[in-house]
Amino acid sequence: MSLHELTDDQREIRELAKRFADEQIAPHAARWDREHHFPRELFAELGELGLMGVCVPEEHGGAGADFLSYILVLEELSRADAGVGVTVAVHTSAGTLPIIAHGSEEQIAQHVPPLASGQELSAFALTESGSGSDASAMRTRVNGGTTITGAKQWITNGSFASTFLVFAKEGGRASSFLVRAGAHGFAVTREEEKLGLNSSSTADLVFEDTPAERLGEPGNGMHVALRTLDGGRIGIAAQAVGIAQAAFEVATDYAKERNAFGGPIARFQAIQHKLAEMQTDIEAARALVWRAARLKEAGLPHTVEGAQAKLFASGVARRHTGEAIQILGGYGYTKEFPAERYYRDAKVTEIYEGTSEIQKLVIARAILGEAMR
């Protein structure tokens, strides 16, 4: 999909995100990765530009742009630093938008403006040690309808969020709740050491009779979670496209500059074929992501299309970050170049917000329906 298919507003937002990413994120990304530094101050700056609430309505403190504009921002941020990209993705898709979709007027007025401005961060707390892909197996429970007890694992933004969307069992069914950082019985117990995305926060949480504010109807938690993930997967697919684009750019520049056997290695057909396949796959992934984003913005079904975008884009990111390392040769295996960081960052896009195997299951159910039972 080409840029001429975008509106003037979408191109302007994309260019704003690209410029900020190139100037304020990319120069620091290697250090943030090396030091495992979470750049908290950066998100206030993004908030001032309207990029922490791109698709949040203006009346709630956001920029009021469409969902595709938000997806364009995620790709550009992730091209510079995938850790920053996932922080914004989870904050927006999984933390802020569900409050707008399922919250009361009072909840929206209280929680959304500080999130949309970047003054606060949000998190989505669904996964537990015994319930990943099988989210219905969660053990966190509701106590008398007003407090929750349990533990959550691998929560993006967990150490820095102020508002948490938390899911807990209530009478055999899941319900959704909002929990504020600092609430009684709530604690961050561990910050995870990860293969990649080292500039993002991934934490374990515990709740002990923690006061929780109900979001939506009792027993409607899985509906809230699945609807949230349908949109969130499009954001992760955009993150994967951004990582792959970054790898493609560093590989292309290196192929033009690296001399071997009397000239640049870009002369060799093996290198040319790798780059041609990389660019083609990235464009195909981008097209799937934009299609899913446009369907969501139009209020049309997008579960399958989001799954297809995430399945394909995450695979492209993993494969072609590896190809970028291959093109750079020994340099690709060192931290002198960012290709190895892209490779480490890419893998998780096949895992979180629904593994590739779960995406295939979603797509297969749409194809086969009752025949799968």
Side-chain angles (χ1 to χ4, degrees):
M1 312 259 317
S2 59
L3 293 181
H4 75 266
E5 298 178 55
L6 301 176
T7 66
D8 289 342
D9 286 346
Q10 289 167 343
R11 281 194 292 268
E12 288 178 9
I13 291 172
R14 177 183 177 274
E15 183 56 35
L16 173 65
K18 183 179 189 300
R19 186 166 59 250
F20 185 89
D22 288 342
E23 296 175 358
Q24 303 298 326
I25 300 176
H28 309 290
R31 177 175 61 84
W32 293 343
D33 172 67
R34 183 173 62 253
E35 298 177 359
H36 292 217
H37 173 69
F38 183 85
R40 179 62 184 91
E41 67 287 347
L42 182 79
F43 302 105
E45 297 176 30
L46 285 169
E48 291 176 3
L49 296 175
L51 299 182
M52 293 300 284
V54 178
C55 55
V56 173
E58 289 182 286
E59 61 266 30
H60 303 317
D66 62 3
F67 194 78
L68 179 55
S69 295
Y70 159 66
I71 290 300
L72 297 172
V73 169
L74 287 186
E75 180 183 335
E76 291 302 328
L77 297 180
S78 300
R79 183 179 57 82
D81 184 347
V84 171
V86 73
T87 299
V88 175
V90 170
H91 165 81
T92 306
S93 294
T96 306
L97 295 185
I99 301 175
I100 297 173
H102 304 284
S104 65
E105 291 183 6
E106 292 77 13
Q107 287 173 324
I108 295 170
Q110 177 185 353
H111 297 292
V112 173
L115 296 175
S117 69
Q119 297 174 31
E120 296 184 353
L121 293 176
S122 58
F124 179 81
L126 176 64
T127 299
E128 300 180 6
S129 61
S131 62
S133 296
D134 182 13
S136 63
M138 73 179 72
R139 300 181 66 182
T140 299
R141 68 183 186 277
V142 179
N143 309 314
T146 58
T147 65
I148 61 174
T149 294
K152 298 293 181 178
Q153 186 176 41
W154 299 328
I155 307 306
T156 299
N157 300 344
S159 291
F160 296 89
S162 298
T163 299
F164 295 79
L165 175 54
V166 185
F167 297 86
K169 279 286 186 68
E170 182 175 32
R173 300 182 66 183
S175 295
S176 54
F177 299 88
L178 297 177
V179 173
R180 293 285 292 176
H184 168 78
F186 168 75
V188 176
T189 57
R190 183 176 70 155
E191 181 69 33
E192 192 68 56
E193 291 281 343
K194 308 186 293 288
L195 174 69
L197 299 185
N198 289 324
S199 62
S200 69
S201 168
T202 307
D204 292 356
L205 315 175
V206 296
F207 307 89
E208 290 288 345
D209 289 321
T210 300
E213 182 182 352
R214 186 180 300 279
L215 184 74
E217 297 298 320
N220 202 37
M222 289 311 298
H223 170 75
V224 174
L226 293 176
R227 180 177 175 183
T228 300
L229 289 171
D230 280 350
R233 286 166 179 165
I234 305 172
I236 299 305
Q239 180 198 27
V241 171
I243 297 170
Q245 180 68 37
F248 169 72
E249 290 173 5
V250 74
T252 300
D253 290 344
Y254 184 85
K256 294 176 180 178
E257 296 169 1
R258 170 65 169 169
N259 287 316
F261 302 102
I265 63 172
R267 297 176 304 138
F268 302 135
Q269 189 177 68
I271 301 297
Q272 295 166 7
H273 284 184
K274 287 182 185 296
L275 293 173
E277 289 177 1
M278 289 173 75
Q279 186 188 51
T280 300
D281 281 351
I282 291 168
E283 288 297 329
R286 185 176 286 121
L288 287 172
V289 174
W290 288 17
R291 179 186 67 161
R294 285 179 164 136
L295 287 172
K296 176 173 170 54
E297 178 63 28
L300 296 172
H302 55 276
T303 299
V304 173
E305 289 80 7
Q308 291 170 333
K310 184 178 183 299
L311 173 65
F312 187 75
S314 62
V316 165
R318 176 184 48 79
R319 292 193 303 274
H320 290 315
T321 52
E323 286 289 72
I325 290 175
Q326 196 71 17
I327 290 171
L328 270 65
Y331 286 112
Y333 200 67
T334 72
K335 293 185 182 294
E336 182 177 347
F337 286 83
E340 60 84 29
R341 171 164 56 87
Y342 302 149
Y343 184 72
R344 290 185 286 108
D345 289 347
K347 178 56 193 174
V348 76
T349 64
E350 295 184 306
I351 298 172
Y352 58 15
E353 296 225 20
T355 64
S356 292
E357 290 74 19
I358 290 295
Q359 307 314 312
K360 292 175 183 178
L361 179 61
V362 170
I363 297 164
R365 281 176 175 167
I367 296 169
L368 299 172
E370 291 296 323
M372 290 183 62
R373 297 184 182 277

